[in-house]
Amino acid sequence: MRHRGMRVALGLALSCAAAVSAVRADESGASPEELRREIDALKRKVEALERAQSSSAPAPTLAPKGTEAAPAAAGPSSEDEELRLLREEAAKEVEKAPEKPGATAAPAPAPGGATAGTTGGGLQQTLNAFNPRITVFGDFLGRLGLAEDELEEDDRVSVREVELDMRADVDPYAKAVLILAFEEEDPGSYVVDVEEGYATLETLPWNLRAQVGRYRQRMGQANRVHRHDLMWVEYPLMVRDLFGEEGLKADGLSLLWLAPGAPLELEATIMSGEDATILAGEESDFPAFLGRASFFTDLPARTQLTVGTSLLSGFNDDGTDNLTQVVSGDVLLTWRPTVLRSIAAISEVYYLDREVGDDLRSEYALGWYGALQFQPIQQLYIGARYDFSDYGEQIEDNDQWAGSVYASWYTTEFMRVRAGYEHRERRSTGFPGAEGDLDTLFLQVTFIFGSHPVEPFWVNR
Amino acid sequence: MKRTKLVALVSAAALAAAAAAQGTPASAGDDTLRIAATLGHLAAHARAVGGNRVTVVQLGRGDQDPHFVQPTPSLMVEANRADLYVEVGLDLELWSEHVLDGARNAKIRVGAPGHVFAAVGIPVIERLAVVSRAQGDVHPNGNPHVWLDPLNAILEAQNVAEALKRVDPASAEAYDRGFKEYKARIEESLFGAELVRLLGAETLTGLARKEALADFLEQKKYKGEPLAKRLGGWLGKMRPHRGKKVITYHRDLSYFARAFGLEVVNTIEPKPGIPPTPGHLAELEKLAASTRLGAVFCTPYQNVGVAEGFAKRTSLPVLVLPVDCGATPETQDYFGLVNQLVEQVSAALAKGGTS
């Protein structure tokens, strides 16, 4: 009732104002257009007054535009008025309060759900953003020979290798990795080598993934790991005897298939036959083949098991059609009851069948190793390894075994200090200089800087 | 002749593998949407928003350091079967890229509709002006442990809901409904139902985001009493402890502290990811002697022994707090997680009685 009276009064006031304006217009000579504008302005004023009048009723929406309405109280009362004012004050406070210091919104997604950067959240705005992620690995090694017999590399300290690791997306379908190694070839003299340089095709159908380029071959477990990332200072004896000091790496093309919904991966690789240690070297005129199957499963009590087998087949340099075949089997068991304790056990066996001579006589070799590592506290890993290999430059009557112990201490996740001891016994009637016992102390320091790499399989954090 | 045999053998193996690949169904007969979530709270959001339309697999364990999950082949198999992959982003799960690569699933690669960074749009704190490893294992894009502020959890869930709508538009309404209900439940759990009814969740959220809520509620009265008395939920429970000082092991509780008004005066780690040194611990002991501290917080994946030793020397209570869903039987969903955090922290700070 009160509102209706107010409206009538306001309407009368408007009419009077219009009449007065018209009279003034006549007197002042204002045009009808100007009068209409004045009336419109007055109308707006009246509407504003009406709005102000009606605002004494409960106001359902006091939140800022675009936000949810604050709940309305039932019926007009002094309580409602109190609440209305509170809401109004709260809304004003939201508007006037300064932004939270130090908080920046992570970037909004691009169409399709992507955000800037591959790890989410980078506000990169320059073309530098397309540069590869870079990590540098340094591997410093000191060796001290304790026995009468020593190796050439004993009794010295050196930066054994520095690796420059670069990786980036190539396009929506492929990624690429380039790892340059600066290796000590002779004391104090370094050579640069392409340790790995490959692209992976990530969006193939049928659960396939392809890798093309130069890379460490998936022959067993240890061979796939870079030397600075090993659980030990050196590769196991049999890996070194078969493939050389740095294991088997080759140019090739791999197709990897992950069984849908099953813990099985199969791999087929066509690789260059030019590896001089195990295959035909420069004489090669035919590629070699590598196949691998690995089965992996999660067992109870936070235990993971991986079992794999690999087969390498290619021609060697002893004649034209002489085959070399290496079969390996590997088992890796990790137990991580907590992030501060873990056990890793690994074992691999290698069997070599090599045809030699014109009569294609077969030579055989067998080697294996087993290693156990325990993490008693967060930063410390201690372990031991036993190696046996009966393969050297000549297979018969040429074998060696070694036992080693080591302790690795991570000062931070970017630096590791490792001390170790190895006792090795060699027996050879085939060639001179490879007999006798070796006792060696190791001190290794590895460091990493640049982008954050994923930890090797034996590290538990 | 021998070469021919070798080529035939390899070709046969390749054909067999290809045939097996084609003959095997890509996913099980289940018609729900499969979601692979890197961490427990993301899995909880996905379950809440997706309801019975989704099957969710959590890749990292709840009691595991989210930075250092081992990208095992088993995780790749799970991701291989996923229609949607959810990760926090902000350089938290650096292992995730390896899982995605190994998964061979184009639907969930970064940039594909089936991939989502849950932290998008969240106000990030502790973003450094200068980034260097001299500052420890820092995150160039800011602190990624965003989810322990419930308002951030809402934004994460919203990102998950949007992603679900993208990959399953036919059920968009259901996901919107699921998100709305989840959001309302988190808001009521955070502010208490009464305050949400009085002032509205959006206004409360706006005030909380600008760190103006506590002052506003203390200063303003309703029916003769400070509004703060009507603050319920997690914030109501933590209200007596606002402003109390604590030490944390790592910066993984910064968002929780900020949301609930606690002040983290230092960390057991001298710098993020750097193990404590005797010198730094001695400094902290001096700090504890000169400052009234409430408690020491650490998480199951940190060196609890070091935190306990420090707490013992300084007579402070030490709390081993769950920071992700699934860390304990009580923290199976997001509400359980924050309930547990609030219960443990408020109980310890009440005993300490410091301010």
Side-chain angles (χ1 to χ4, degrees):
Chain A
M1 188 68 187
R2 193 161 63 93
H3 293 182
R4 192 181 295 166
M6 180 64 81
R7 278 200 196 97
V8 171
L10 286 169
L12 282 171
L14 181 61
S15 305
C16 291
V20 169
S21 297
V23 171
R24 280 191 190 158
D26 273 349
E27 287 170 358
S28 63
S31 70
E33 189 60 36
E34 285 169 334
L35 285 172
R36 202 170 296 121
R37 276 201 298 270
E38 203 166 340
I39 289 167
D40 287 345
L42 283 166
K43 270 185 184 172
R44 282 195 294 274
K45 280 183 186 170
V46 170
E47 283 165 7
L49 283 168
E50 279 185 334
R51 276 199 302 275
Q53 180 64 27
S54 63
S55 67
S56 59
T61 307
L62 292 168
K65 191 181 175 186
T67 63
E68 178 186 284
S77 68
S78 60
E79 263 182 34
D80 296 333
E81 176 64 13
E82 188 183 1
L83 192 54
R84 187 191 65 77
L85 287 172
L86 266 178
R87 289 174 187 160
E88 208 169 58
E89 284 182 63
K92 279 182 191 160
E93 188 69 28
V94 171
E95 278 178 20
K96 83 171 189 199
E99 287 298 326
K100 210 170 179 181
T104 317
T115 61
T118 55
T119 50
L123 283 168
Q124 298 158 316
Q125 292 172 345
T126 68
L127 289 176
N128 244 359
F130 297 109
N131 282 342
R133 280 174 288 157
I134 298 173
T135 311
V136 176
F137 301 87
D139 183 358
F140 170 90
L141 181 64
R143 297 173 62 113
L144 180 63
L146 302 176
E148 192 176 327
D149 291 313
E150 286 185 357
L151 298 175
E152 192 184 338
E153 57 266 35
D154 284 346
D155 297 338
R156 60 187 301 268
V157 293
S158 69
V159 175
R160 181 165 62 163
E161 188 177 65
V162 173
E163 280 187 4
L164 184 64
D165 179 316
M166 293 170 273
R167 50 190 70 211
D169 292 347
V170 175
D171 59 23
Y173 314 108
K175 294 185 164 197
V177 173
L178 174 63
I179 301 173
L180 297 175
F182 302 78
E183 300 170 53
E184 188 181 39
E185 194 177 43
D186 296 311
S189 169
Y190 288 81
V191 293
V192 181
D193 189 22
V194 177
E195 174 84 5
E196 295 194 275
Y198 61 84
T200 51
L201 302 179
E202 306 284 354
T203 58
L204 297 179
W206 307 330
N207 279 354
L208 291 168
R209 186 179 187 213
Q211 184 171 12
V212 59
R214 179 175 178 77
Y215 43 93
R216 302 198 67 81
Q217 297 297 325
R218 294 176 189 80
M219 185 81 209
Q221 282 283 355
N223 186 69
R224 299 160 62 180
V225 180
H226 284 247
R227 192 159 57 172
H228 57 81
D229 267 347
L230 287 168
M231 290 164 75
W232 326 281
V233 173
E234 300 281 4
Y235 286 103
L237 279 180
M238 191 61 180
V239 173
R240 279 184 278 163
D241 284 347
L242 285 173
F243 308 121
E245 284 299 308
E246 293 191 47
L248 180 65
K249 57 189 175 190
D251 301 346
L253 167 66
S254 296
L255 210 53
L256 296 101
W257 177 67
L258 186 69
L264 176 70
E265 186 179 61
L266 301 178
E267 174 191 342
T269 296
I270 298 172
M271 56 182 262
S272 158
E274 293 167 5
D275 184 285
T277 313
I278 188 81
L279 298 172
E282 290 176 358
E283 303 298 319
S284 169
D285 58 359
F286 202 73
F289 300 94
L290 176 71
R292 177 168 171 82
S294 51
F295 167 83
F296 38 84
T297 187
D298 291 343
L299 301 173
R302 296 176 177 180
T303 306
Q304 289 167 328
L305 174 70
T306 304
V307 180
T309 180
S310 308
L311 167 68
L312 171 68
S313 184
F315 296 100
N316 62 51
D317 60 354
D318 196 88
T320 52
D321 263 4
N322 292 3
L323 266 180
T324 287
Q325 299 197 72
V326 181
V327 183
S328 78
D330 52 88
V331 180
L332 168 66
L333 189 77
T334 56
W335 179 54
R336 296 181 167 100
T338 75
V339 291
L340 307 176
R341 308 266 187 286
S342 67
I343 289 178
I346 184 169
S347 184
E348 291 186 62
V349 59
Y350 286 84
Y351 178 75
L352 167 76
D353 178 352
R354 186 173 74 169
E355 293 174 343
V356 293
D358 293 336
D359 56 351
L360 303 182
R361 178 169 47 88
S362 277
E363 290 186 339
Y364 306 101
L366 182 70
W368 70 279
Y369 74 89
L372 185 66
Q373 179 182 266
F374 174 52
Q375 178 195 16
I377 58 172
Q378 189 174 24
Q379 292 160 266
L380 179 65
Y381 298 82
I382 53 177
R385 186 179 83 194
Y386 175 83
D387 286 69
F388 174 79
S389 167
D390 71 354
Y391 178 66
E393 286 186 24
Q394 296 179 10
I395 292 176
E396 290 174 6
D397 299 323
N398 183 6
D399 57 53
Q400 54 184 329
W401 70 268
S404 55
V405 291
Y406 59 90
S408 306
W409 175 263
Y410 275 90
T411 59
T412 68
E413 62 196 275
F414 306 105
M415 182 170 271
R416 184 186 65 218
V417 179
R418 175 179 288 154
Y421 164 76
E422 181 186 80
H423 173 75
R424 186 162 145 194
E425 292 189 8
R426 302 174 297 171
R427 185 170 68 89
S428 171
T429 56
F431 58 100
E435 283 189 300
D437 298 350
L438 296 170
D439 286 292
T440 314
L441 286 175
F442 302 97
L443 177 69
Q444 183 187 27
V445 180
T446 54
F447 52 90
I448 298 167
F449 60 90
S451 73
H452 198 308
V454 167
E455 305 288 349
F457 68 85
W458 52 271
V459 173
N460 179 42
R461 293 189 196 282
Chain B
M1 184 62 189
K2 203 173 281 176
R3 291 177 189 220
T4 314
K5 274 186 192 170
L6 199 61
V7 172
L9 187 71
V10 171
S11 306
L15 283 173
Q22 280 188 296
T24 315
S27 61
D30 180 359
D31 61 354
T32 57
L33 206 70
R34 290 189 70 90
I35 302 175
T38 53
L39 303 178
H41 69 283
L42 296 176
H45 297 339
R47 282 189 197 101
V49 173
N52 58 12
R53 283 178 167 72
V54 300
T55 302
V56 185
V57 178
Q58 176 182 332
L59 302 183
R61 295 195 317 261
D63 63 350
Q64 205 167 5
D65 189 336
H67 302 87
F68 298 113
V69 175
Q70 192 60 227
T72 60
S74 304
L75 302 190
M76 295 168 192
V77 170
E78 294 295 355
N80 172 260
R81 294 189 286 177
D83 301 297
L84 177 65
Y85 187 90
V86 189
E87 59 178 306
V88 172
L90 296 169
D91 298 329
L92 177 66
E93 308 106 314
L94 292 173
W95 47 276
S96 175
E97 186 179 356
H98 290 256
V99 173
L100 287 170
D101 286 348
R104 274 150 266 207
N105 183 348
K107 287 187 295 186
I108 60 166
R109 295 196 65 75
V110 175
H115 180 277
V116 60
F117 286 119
V120 166
I122 287 178
V124 179
I125 61 173
E126 294 171 5
R127 203 169 192 151
L128 300 171
V130 178
V131 176
S132 158
R133 287 281 180 233
Q135 297 171 69
D137 190 7
V138 293
H139 295 275
N141 293 315
N143 188 327
H145 303 272
V146 293
W147 62 93
L148 292 180
D149 180 341
L151 296 179
N152 291 348
I154 291 173
L155 293 177
E156 284 188 321
Q158 188 171 15
N159 286 328
V160 172
E162 292 302 319
L164 279 168
K165 284 156 63 181
R166 234 173 17 235
V167 296
D168 182 18
S171 303
E173 274 183 35
Y175 298 133
D176 275 336
R177 198 166 49 245
F179 168 65
K180 202 174 165 187
E181 287 167 7
Y182 191 52
K183 175 175 179 277
R185 201 176 153 206
I186 292 179
E187 287 164 346
E188 285 206 355
S189 301
L190 179 63
F191 302 113
E194 188 185 3
L195 202 60
V196 170
R197 185 177 54 78
L198 289 176
L199 292 184
E202 297 302 327
T203 303
L204 292 169
T205 298
L207 288 168
R209 279 273 177 230
K210 293 188 170 178
E211 290 189 340
L213 180 65
D215 288 346
F216 183 83
L217 297 180
E218 296 294 346
Q219 288 162 10
K220 303 297 173 187
K221 289 188 174 177
Y222 181 59
K223 291 186 180 175
E225 287 185 329
L227 260 181
K229 283 204 168 180
R230 294 169 191 274
L231 181 65
W234 296 322
L235 281 172
K237 196 142 201 163
M238 289 293 291
R239 184 179 155 225
H241 311 300
R242 284 195 68 79
K244 288 186 178 176
K245 295 179 171 68
V246 297
I247 284 181
T248 62
Y249 194 98
H250 179 69
R251 297 207 172 275
D252 42 10
L253 285 153
S254 298
Y255 287 92
F256 177 81
R258 196 163 167 129
F260 293 99
L262 303 177
E263 187 185 345
V264 179
V265 293
N266 212 325
T267 55
I268 299 253
E269 289 176 339
K271 289 177 178 174
I274 305 299
T277 59
H280 179 66
L281 290 173
E283 286 296 318
L284 287 186
E285 284 176 32
K286 280 186 201 165
L287 175 73
S290 61
T291 313
R292 296 192 71 187
L293 296 175
V296 178
F297 298 162
C298 65
T299 65
Y301 53 78
Q302 287 155 356
N303 199 330
V304 178
V306 171
E308 283 176 341
F310 171 76
K312 195 174 174 185
R313 290 192 296 277
T314 52
S315 304
L316 287 169
V318 60
L319 300 183
V320 183
L321 297 172
V323 288
D324 200 11
C325 296
T328 65
E330 296 79 26
T331 58
Q332 295 307 307
D333 63 13
Y334 189 74
F335 302 97
L337 174 65
V338 185
N339 279 340
Q340 173 114 1
L341 275 169
V342 166
E343 288 294 334
Q344 276 187 260
V345 170
S346 58
L349 293 180
K351 276 185 197 168
T354 58
S355 59

